[in-house]
Amino acid sequence: MLLELEDLEVRYGAIPALKGIGLEIAQGEIVTLLGANGAGKTTTLRSISGLHHPTRGRIVFDGTDIATMAPHDVMALGVSHSPEGRRIFGRMSVMENLEMGAYRRRGAIRKDLDRVFELFPVLGERKRQPGGTLSGGEQQMLAIGRALMSEPRLLLLDEPSMGLAPLIVREIFSIIRQIRETGTTILLVEQNATQALRLADRGYVLENGAIVMADEARRLLQDPRVREAYLGEAAAPST
Amino acid sequence: MTAAPRRGSALRRLWTSEDARRGFACVVGGLVLAVMTGPEGSSTAPTSGFTGSLFHARVIGFIVFGLVLWGLITVRRRYATQVRAFSDKVTAAPRRLLPDKRVRAVVYLAVLAFAIAYPATLNSFWQEVLVDQIGVYVLLAIGLNVVVGYAGLLDLGYIAFFAIGAYSAAYWTGALPIHPPFHLNPFYAIPLAIIAAMLAGVVLGAPTLRLRGDYLAIVTLGFGEIIQIVATNLQGVTGGAQGVIGIPHFSIHLLGIHYDWGINSLPYYYLLLGFVVLVLFGFHFLENSRVGRAWVAIREDEVAAESSGINVLKYKVMAFAIGASTSGFAGMLEASKISFVEPADLTVQLSILILVLVIFGGMGSLPGAVVGAAVLQWLPQYLRVHPLLGFQQQDIYIYLGALLVVMMIFRPEGIIPSRRRKREIGLAEHGVGHADALSGQSGPVA
């Protein structure tokens, strides 16, 4: 397993956000984490990348327990986080944003820049433009591009579809599929359950800080409980 | 269509007319100026400052001044396009040439040559001002610029590190009531004073820089107060409220060369100039290094910087410690120059003054910090010698405050803005990001 969470508990003060969850991702997989607002999806990602430290449990990345590591150390191991709400550097140019993504690396980044511009041609057209002047979809592309610049083995994507038009969402999801094809493992947090499950190999469903379902994505897509809770369908009539 | 309200409509039209409002503001400005330059009030006649200025023939002059100002502004606005075209034509050559590295090097060399040659022609009063009021503050401003301008950390206790530098100098040269293991020449005390201030910066910064934004400002404010109170009350160590005297001047005794900096200001000026140029080179290099880039990222968005693999705490502590050691260095130099430190001088007001110099000059801009400090420190001294319109020294903070307010309205990026800051403020006006000093810290924490 590339990443394993064991009995992970995270608290904000007295309030538990994650109540002992377990999760596994194998090399090369796309795994999606579904759930409503406040279920603990973002907290899970932030714990993996070291922005929160768990009160209990282990986070094992490629054999190393990273639960108590600082974010920059986790990143150095090959975990990259595209945070919720994009958080690009609005006043840096597109190019500078991408360079920031490669901050931990020494040596040439030309190849990775080319790869990002190949995945997102629109970024190549706007190299000199301040990040904050891009459209929402372009900013999301920049956030993903920036995360890719550190040559991650595991890419954490927090709601890349947030606030974007359906057409753009489809484009971004198809790019995520391309990223996986180059060998990067992906943990995708989403509210847009249909799209995420069509893309992912496996999925987990979080509710109130606990995992309530874990299965292959296409089975979750068929599951009446998932369909009812996250795909906005009425429960299938039982004949 | 509804009929326009009849009652007071003429007045309302007048008030909503931009021209009329501007005229009103100009006249009010003139009246304020009249009060500012008028006679002083006193405890027996507290309103005499107002009555003496406003109910007196001289007020007419100020009203006329306000109206003339209004006229000038109105004319300038009416011919705005012509004015802009003209100023573009005038500044076209400098704007084309300045980005060129060689041109800039020539400009800097010319400034340096002027800075070397000119002070020797001044009288001793201005030479003293040049060291005690300008040189030291330029050094302080470029140090604080690293903290506030580069890393976006608000430090309101900056003068505490100046104090630590000054008292370190006093300690190592044997001027304090407690004695060091061996007495040092001030030159050798420089690194020790810098290290002491830097250590203080790290010790204060490491725990508190985990905090965001306003908390840091409060902690540093408290630290500044603590240092001043300790210096005042720890009589047996610091010499207490009456301060320390007898800190030796710089001197060289090397290979048969003996030179003492003595009590004249000019030798100190050249010493200071040398150090300032060195520090400027160092900071310029830092600004454009990986470290500088990390500071920009932290200033913009701490969470995003962290997600990009930047050790945020490390770089914040680094900026803080570099600022602190520069302040300590300045304190050390000044203590040796005037051979005296007094706790009463080390007020929070001084910390804020240095912050004002940095903001006025242009946050994050080295030339800005230098020019801002030089101009704002020179101006009060000039006005003291040539009191304009009854300028009084004790009112200086009123004028500086007013100047800052005007600056923030018309030129928030400072007089010589850094290119990056200018872009940041320009974008903030169009709703992208925020333009405050603490933008990196004010992002929401998910």
Side-chain angles (χ1 to χ4, degrees), chain B residues 72-115:
Chain B
L72 285 176
I73 292 173
T74 309
V75 167
R76 196 197 169 283
R77 289 183 70 86
R78 197 130 302 161
Y79 299 99
T81 42
Q82 285 93 324
V83 170
R84 187 156 313 136
F86 178 72
S87 74
D88 277 354
K89 214 187 313 175
V90 171
T91 58
R95 265 187 298 130
R96 201 181 57 244
L97 289 173
L98 265 181
D100 189 338
K101 275 214 174 83
R102 283 164 303 175
V103 174
R104 242 192 281 181
V106 169
V107 170
Y108 288 142
L109 279 178
V111 170
L112 186 63
F114 178 77

Short mmCIF file of all heavy atoms in Angstrom, two decimals, chain B residues 72-115:
data_model
loop_
_atom_site.label_atom_id
_atom_site.label_comp_id
_atom_site.label_asym_id
_atom_site.label_seq_id
_atom_site.Cartn_x
_atom_site.Cartn_y
_atom_site.Cartn_z
N LEU B 72 -6.61 75.13 -8.31
CA LEU B 72 -5.54 74.36 -8.95
C LEU B 72 -6.01 72.93 -9.24
O LEU B 72 -5.81 72.41 -10.34
CB LEU B 72 -4.30 74.33 -8.06
CG LEU B 72 -3.49 75.63 -8.01
CD1 LEU B 72 -2.35 75.51 -7.01
CD2 LEU B 72 -2.95 75.96 -9.40
N ILE B 73 -6.65 72.31 -8.23
CA ILE B 73 -7.13 70.93 -8.40
C ILE B 73 -8.15 70.86 -9.52
O ILE B 73 -8.11 69.98 -10.39
CB ILE B 73 -7.73 70.39 -7.08
CG1 ILE B 73 -6.63 70.24 -6.04
CG2 ILE B 73 -8.43 69.06 -7.32
CD1 ILE B 73 -7.13 69.87 -4.67
N THR B 74 -9.07 71.85 -9.53
CA THR B 74 -10.12 71.85 -10.54
C THR B 74 -9.52 71.99 -11.94
O THR B 74 -9.89 71.26 -12.86
CB THR B 74 -11.11 73.00 -10.28
OG1 THR B 74 -11.50 72.93 -8.92
CG2 THR B 74 -12.32 72.88 -11.17
N VAL B 75 -8.57 72.92 -12.08
CA VAL B 75 -7.94 73.12 -13.39
C VAL B 75 -7.22 71.84 -13.81
O VAL B 75 -7.34 71.37 -14.95
CB VAL B 75 -6.95 74.30 -13.33
CG1 VAL B 75 -6.07 74.32 -14.57
CG2 VAL B 75 -7.72 75.61 -13.20
N ARG B 76 -6.51 71.24 -12.83
CA ARG B 76 -5.76 70.03 -13.15
C ARG B 76 -6.71 68.92 -13.61
O ARG B 76 -6.40 68.15 -14.53
CB ARG B 76 -4.98 69.56 -11.93
CG ARG B 76 -3.91 68.56 -12.29
CD ARG B 76 -3.42 67.80 -11.08
NE ARG B 76 -2.59 66.69 -11.50
CZ ARG B 76 -3.05 65.54 -11.99
NH1 ARG B 76 -4.34 65.36 -12.14
NH2 ARG B 76 -2.23 64.57 -12.35
N ARG B 77 -7.88 68.84 -12.97
CA ARG B 77 -8.82 67.79 -13.35
C ARG B 77 -9.42 68.05 -14.73
O ARG B 77 -9.64 67.14 -15.51
CB ARG B 77 -9.94 67.68 -12.32
CG ARG B 77 -9.49 67.10 -11.00
CD ARG B 77 -10.64 66.96 -10.05
NE ARG B 77 -11.55 65.91 -10.49
CZ ARG B 77 -11.39 64.62 -10.19
NH1 ARG B 77 -10.36 64.27 -9.45
NH2 ARG B 77 -12.23 63.73 -10.61
N ARG B 78 -9.69 69.34 -14.98
CA ARG B 78 -10.30 69.67 -16.27
C ARG B 78 -9.36 69.30 -17.41
O ARG B 78 -9.78 68.83 -18.45
CB ARG B 78 -10.62 71.17 -16.31
CG ARG B 78 -11.60 71.53 -17.38
CD ARG B 78 -12.74 72.39 -16.84
NE ARG B 78 -13.49 71.77 -15.78
CZ ARG B 78 -14.25 72.44 -14.92
NH1 ARG B 78 -14.34 73.76 -14.99
NH2 ARG B 78 -14.94 71.81 -14.00
N TYR B 79 -8.05 69.50 -17.16
CA TYR B 79 -7.07 69.20 -18.21
C TYR B 79 -6.30 67.92 -17.90
O TYR B 79 -5.12 67.81 -18.19
CB TYR B 79 -6.12 70.38 -18.39
CG TYR B 79 -6.84 71.63 -18.82
CD1 TYR B 79 -7.18 72.61 -17.89
CD2 TYR B 79 -7.23 71.80 -20.15
CE1 TYR B 79 -7.88 73.75 -18.27
CE2 TYR B 79 -7.93 72.94 -20.54
CZ TYR B 79 -8.25 73.90 -19.61
OH TYR B 79 -8.94 75.01 -19.99
N ALA B 80 -7.00 66.97 -17.28
CA ALA B 80 -6.34 65.76 -16.80
C ALA B 80 -5.58 65.03 -17.90
O ALA B 80 -4.44 64.62 -17.70
CB ALA B 80 -7.36 64.82 -16.16
N THR B 81 -6.22 64.92 -19.08
CA THR B 81 -5.56 64.16 -20.14
C THR B 81 -4.29 64.86 -20.60
O THR B 81 -3.27 64.22 -20.82
CB THR B 81 -6.50 63.96 -21.34
OG1 THR B 81 -7.19 65.17 -21.58
CG2 THR B 81 -7.48 62.83 -21.08
N GLN B 82 -4.37 66.19 -20.71
CA GLN B 82 -3.18 66.93 -21.13
C GLN B 82 -2.07 66.80 -20.08
O GLN B 82 -0.90 66.59 -20.42
CB GLN B 82 -3.49 68.43 -21.33
CG GLN B 82 -4.25 68.72 -22.60
CD GLN B 82 -5.75 68.75 -22.37
OE1 GLN B 82 -6.27 67.98 -21.57
NE2 GLN B 82 -6.45 69.64 -23.05
N VAL B 83 -2.48 66.91 -18.80
CA VAL B 83 -1.48 66.81 -17.73
C VAL B 83 -0.81 65.45 -17.79
O VAL B 83 0.42 65.34 -17.70
CB VAL B 83 -2.16 67.01 -16.35
CG1 VAL B 83 -1.18 66.68 -15.23
CG2 VAL B 83 -2.65 68.44 -16.21
N ARG B 84 -1.65 64.39 -17.98
CA ARG B 84 -1.08 63.04 -18.02
C ARG B 84 -0.14 62.90 -19.21
O ARG B 84 0.96 62.37 -19.09
CB ARG B 84 -2.18 62.00 -18.09
CG ARG B 84 -1.63 60.59 -17.95
CD ARG B 84 -2.68 59.61 -17.45
NE ARG B 84 -3.41 60.11 -16.31
CZ ARG B 84 -4.75 60.01 -16.18
NH1 ARG B 84 -5.47 59.46 -17.13
NH2 ARG B 84 -5.35 60.47 -15.11
N ALA B 85 -0.56 63.42 -20.35
CA ALA B 85 0.28 63.32 -21.54
C ALA B 85 1.62 64.01 -21.30
O ALA B 85 2.67 63.50 -21.66
CB ALA B 85 -0.44 63.95 -22.74
N PHE B 86 1.53 65.19 -20.65
CA PHE B 86 2.76 65.94 -20.39
C PHE B 86 3.67 65.17 -19.44
O PHE B 86 4.87 65.00 -19.71
CB PHE B 86 2.40 67.31 -19.79
CG PHE B 86 3.61 68.14 -19.45
CD1 PHE B 86 4.37 68.71 -20.47
CD2 PHE B 86 3.98 68.34 -18.13
CE1 PHE B 86 5.49 69.48 -20.16
CE2 PHE B 86 5.10 69.10 -17.82
CZ PHE B 86 5.85 69.67 -18.84
N SER B 87 3.11 64.65 -18.34
CA SER B 87 3.96 63.96 -17.37
C SER B 87 4.50 62.67 -17.97
O SER B 87 5.62 62.26 -17.68
CB SER B 87 3.19 63.68 -16.07
OG SER B 87 2.28 62.63 -16.26
N ASP B 88 3.72 62.04 -18.85
CA ASP B 88 4.23 60.85 -19.53
C ASP B 88 5.43 61.20 -20.39
O ASP B 88 6.41 60.47 -20.44
CB ASP B 88 3.13 60.24 -20.43
CG ASP B 88 2.21 59.35 -19.62
OD1 ASP B 88 2.52 59.14 -18.44
OD2 ASP B 88 1.20 58.90 -20.18
N LYS B 89 5.33 62.38 -21.05
CA LYS B 89 6.42 62.77 -21.94
C LYS B 89 7.69 63.05 -21.13
O LYS B 89 8.78 62.66 -21.50
CB LYS B 89 6.01 64.03 -22.73
CG LYS B 89 6.62 64.01 -24.13
CD LYS B 89 6.42 65.27 -24.95
CE LYS B 89 5.02 65.84 -24.98
NZ LYS B 89 4.91 67.11 -25.68
N VAL B 90 7.48 63.72 -19.96
CA VAL B 90 8.63 64.07 -19.14
C VAL B 90 9.30 62.82 -18.56
O VAL B 90 10.52 62.71 -18.51
CB VAL B 90 8.20 65.02 -17.99
CG1 VAL B 90 9.33 65.22 -17.00
CG2 VAL B 90 7.76 66.34 -18.58
N THR B 91 8.45 61.85 -18.11
CA THR B 91 9.03 60.68 -17.45
C THR B 91 9.34 59.54 -18.41
O THR B 91 9.79 58.48 -17.99
CB THR B 91 8.07 60.15 -16.36
OG1 THR B 91 6.83 59.82 -16.99
CG2 THR B 91 7.86 61.15 -15.26
N ALA B 92 9.11 59.76 -19.69
CA ALA B 92 9.30 58.68 -20.65
C ALA B 92 10.74 58.17 -20.65
O ALA B 92 10.98 56.96 -20.58
CB ALA B 92 8.90 59.13 -22.05
N ALA B 93 11.69 59.10 -20.69
CA ALA B 93 13.10 58.70 -20.77
C ALA B 93 13.53 57.93 -19.52
O ALA B 93 14.08 56.83 -19.63
CB ALA B 93 13.97 59.93 -21.00
N PRO B 94 13.28 58.48 -18.30
CA PRO B 94 13.66 57.72 -17.12
C PRO B 94 13.00 56.34 -17.06
O PRO B 94 13.63 55.36 -16.69
CB PRO B 94 13.16 58.58 -15.94
CG PRO B 94 12.89 59.91 -16.50
CD PRO B 94 12.76 59.79 -17.97
N ARG B 95 11.72 56.28 -17.47
CA ARG B 95 11.03 55.00 -17.38
C ARG B 95 11.60 53.98 -18.36
O ARG B 95 11.61 52.79 -18.11
CB ARG B 95 9.52 55.17 -17.63
CG ARG B 95 8.76 55.33 -16.32
CD ARG B 95 7.27 55.33 -16.53
NE ARG B 95 6.84 56.42 -17.36
CZ ARG B 95 6.06 56.28 -18.41
NH1 ARG B 95 5.63 55.08 -18.75
NH2 ARG B 95 5.70 57.32 -19.13
N ARG B 96 12.08 54.49 -19.49
CA ARG B 96 12.66 53.58 -20.46
C ARG B 96 14.03 53.11 -19.99
O ARG B 96 14.41 51.97 -20.16
CB ARG B 96 12.78 54.27 -21.83
CG ARG B 96 12.87 53.30 -22.99
CD ARG B 96 13.01 54.01 -24.32
NE ARG B 96 14.15 54.90 -24.36
CZ ARG B 96 14.08 56.23 -24.50
NH1 ARG B 96 12.90 56.82 -24.61
NH2 ARG B 96 15.16 56.97 -24.53
N LEU B 97 14.77 54.04 -19.36
CA LEU B 97 16.16 53.75 -19.02
C LEU B 97 16.31 52.99 -17.70
O LEU B 97 17.18 52.16 -17.55
CB LEU B 97 16.96 55.05 -18.94
CG LEU B 97 17.23 55.71 -20.29
CD1 LEU B 97 17.87 57.07 -20.10
CD2 LEU B 97 18.11 54.81 -21.15
N LEU B 98 15.41 53.27 -16.73
CA LEU B 98 15.62 52.72 -15.38
C LEU B 98 15.66 51.19 -15.31
O LEU B 98 16.44 50.66 -14.52
CB LEU B 98 14.56 53.28 -14.43
CG LEU B 98 15.03 54.52 -13.65
CD1 LEU B 98 13.94 54.97 -12.70
CD2 LEU B 98 16.31 54.24 -12.87
N PRO B 99 14.83 50.49 -16.07
CA PRO B 99 14.92 49.03 -15.96
C PRO B 99 16.29 48.49 -16.37
O PRO B 99 16.64 47.37 -16.01
CB PRO B 99 13.82 48.53 -16.91
CG PRO B 99 12.89 49.68 -17.03
CD PRO B 99 13.74 50.91 -16.93
N ASP B 100 17.05 49.28 -17.12
CA ASP B 100 18.36 48.83 -17.57
C ASP B 100 19.31 48.76 -16.38
O ASP B 100 19.48 49.72 -15.63
CB ASP B 100 18.90 49.83 -18.62
CG ASP B 100 20.17 49.31 -19.28
OD1 ASP B 100 20.84 48.46 -18.66
OD2 ASP B 100 20.48 49.76 -20.39
N LYS B 101 19.93 47.60 -16.21
CA LYS B 101 20.80 47.39 -15.04
C LYS B 101 21.96 48.37 -15.00
O LYS B 101 22.32 48.88 -13.94
CB LYS B 101 21.34 45.95 -15.06
CG LYS B 101 20.41 44.95 -14.43
CD LYS B 101 21.22 43.85 -13.75
CE LYS B 101 20.32 42.90 -12.97
NZ LYS B 101 19.71 41.86 -13.78
N ARG B 102 22.56 48.64 -16.16
CA ARG B 102 23.74 49.52 -16.17
C ARG B 102 23.34 50.93 -15.78
O ARG B 102 24.03 51.58 -15.00
CB ARG B 102 24.38 49.51 -17.56
CG ARG B 102 25.20 48.26 -17.83
CD ARG B 102 25.48 48.13 -19.30
NE ARG B 102 24.22 48.11 -20.05
CZ ARG B 102 24.14 48.11 -21.36
NH1 ARG B 102 25.23 48.15 -22.09
NH2 ARG B 102 22.97 48.07 -21.98
N VAL B 103 22.18 51.38 -16.30
CA VAL B 103 21.73 52.73 -15.96
C VAL B 103 21.51 52.82 -14.45
O VAL B 103 21.92 53.78 -13.80
CB VAL B 103 20.42 53.06 -16.71
CG1 VAL B 103 19.87 54.40 -16.23
CG2 VAL B 103 20.66 53.07 -18.20
N ARG B 104 20.90 51.75 -13.92
CA ARG B 104 20.63 51.80 -12.49
C ARG B 104 21.93 51.81 -11.68
O ARG B 104 22.04 52.50 -10.68
CB ARG B 104 19.73 50.64 -12.08
CG ARG B 104 18.43 51.19 -11.52
CD ARG B 104 17.65 50.15 -10.84
NE ARG B 104 16.96 49.34 -11.85
CZ ARG B 104 16.18 48.33 -11.53
NH1 ARG B 104 16.03 47.98 -10.27
NH2 ARG B 104 15.56 47.67 -12.47
N ALA B 105 22.89 51.03 -12.14
CA ALA B 105 24.18 51.01 -11.44
C ALA B 105 24.79 52.40 -11.43
O ALA B 105 25.32 52.85 -10.40
CB ALA B 105 25.11 50.01 -12.11
N VAL B 106 24.69 53.10 -12.58
CA VAL B 106 25.24 54.45 -12.66
C VAL B 106 24.52 55.37 -11.67
O VAL B 106 25.14 56.15 -10.94
CB VAL B 106 25.13 55.01 -14.10
CG1 VAL B 106 25.44 56.50 -14.12
CG2 VAL B 106 26.06 54.24 -15.02
N VAL B 107 23.18 55.26 -11.63
CA VAL B 107 22.41 56.10 -10.70
C VAL B 107 22.84 55.83 -9.26
O VAL B 107 23.10 56.75 -8.49
CB VAL B 107 20.89 55.83 -10.87
CG1 VAL B 107 20.10 56.50 -9.75
CG2 VAL B 107 20.42 56.32 -12.23
N TYR B 108 22.95 54.54 -8.91
CA TYR B 108 23.34 54.21 -7.54
C TYR B 108 24.74 54.72 -7.21
O TYR B 108 24.99 55.23 -6.12
CB TYR B 108 23.27 52.69 -7.31
CG TYR B 108 21.85 52.17 -7.25
CD1 TYR B 108 21.50 50.95 -7.79
CD2 TYR B 108 20.86 52.92 -6.62
CE1 TYR B 108 20.19 50.49 -7.74
CE2 TYR B 108 19.55 52.47 -6.55
CZ TYR B 108 19.22 51.25 -7.12
OH TYR B 108 17.93 50.81 -7.06
N LEU B 109 25.64 54.61 -8.18
CA LEU B 109 27.00 55.08 -7.94
C LEU B 109 27.01 56.60 -7.75
O LEU B 109 27.73 57.12 -6.89
CB LEU B 109 27.92 54.69 -9.11
CG LEU B 109 28.42 53.24 -9.05
CD1 LEU B 109 29.27 52.93 -10.27
CD2 LEU B 109 29.23 53.01 -7.78
N ALA B 110 26.19 57.29 -8.55
CA ALA B 110 26.11 58.74 -8.43
C ALA B 110 25.58 59.12 -7.05
O ALA B 110 26.11 60.02 -6.37
CB ALA B 110 25.22 59.32 -9.52
N VAL B 111 24.54 58.40 -6.60
CA VAL B 111 23.99 58.67 -5.27
C VAL B 111 25.05 58.42 -4.21
O VAL B 111 25.23 59.21 -3.27
CB VAL B 111 22.75 57.77 -5.01
CG1 VAL B 111 22.32 57.86 -3.55
CG2 VAL B 111 21.61 58.18 -5.93
N LEU B 112 25.80 57.34 -4.37
CA LEU B 112 26.83 57.01 -3.41
C LEU B 112 27.92 58.07 -3.37
O LEU B 112 28.36 58.51 -2.30
CB LEU B 112 27.44 55.63 -3.75
CG LEU B 112 28.44 55.09 -2.73
CD1 LEU B 112 27.77 54.86 -1.38
CD2 LEU B 112 29.06 53.78 -3.23
N ALA B 113 28.32 58.53 -4.57
CA ALA B 113 29.36 59.57 -4.64
C ALA B 113 28.88 60.83 -3.93
O ALA B 113 29.62 61.45 -3.16
CB ALA B 113 29.68 59.87 -6.11
N PHE B 114 27.61 61.17 -4.16
CA PHE B 114 27.02 62.32 -3.49
C PHE B 114 27.03 62.11 -1.98
O PHE B 114 27.40 63.00 -1.21
CB PHE B 114 25.59 62.53 -4.00
CG PHE B 114 24.87 63.65 -3.34
CD1 PHE B 114 25.15 64.97 -3.69
CD2 PHE B 114 23.92 63.41 -2.37
CE1 PHE B 114 24.49 66.02 -3.09
CE2 PHE B 114 23.25 64.45 -1.75
CZ PHE B 114 23.54 65.76 -2.11
N ALA B 115 26.66 60.89 -1.56
CA ALA B 115 26.59 60.59 -0.12
C ALA B 115 27.97 60.63 0.51
O ALA B 115 28.11 60.86 1.71
CB ALA B 115 25.95 59.22 0.08
#
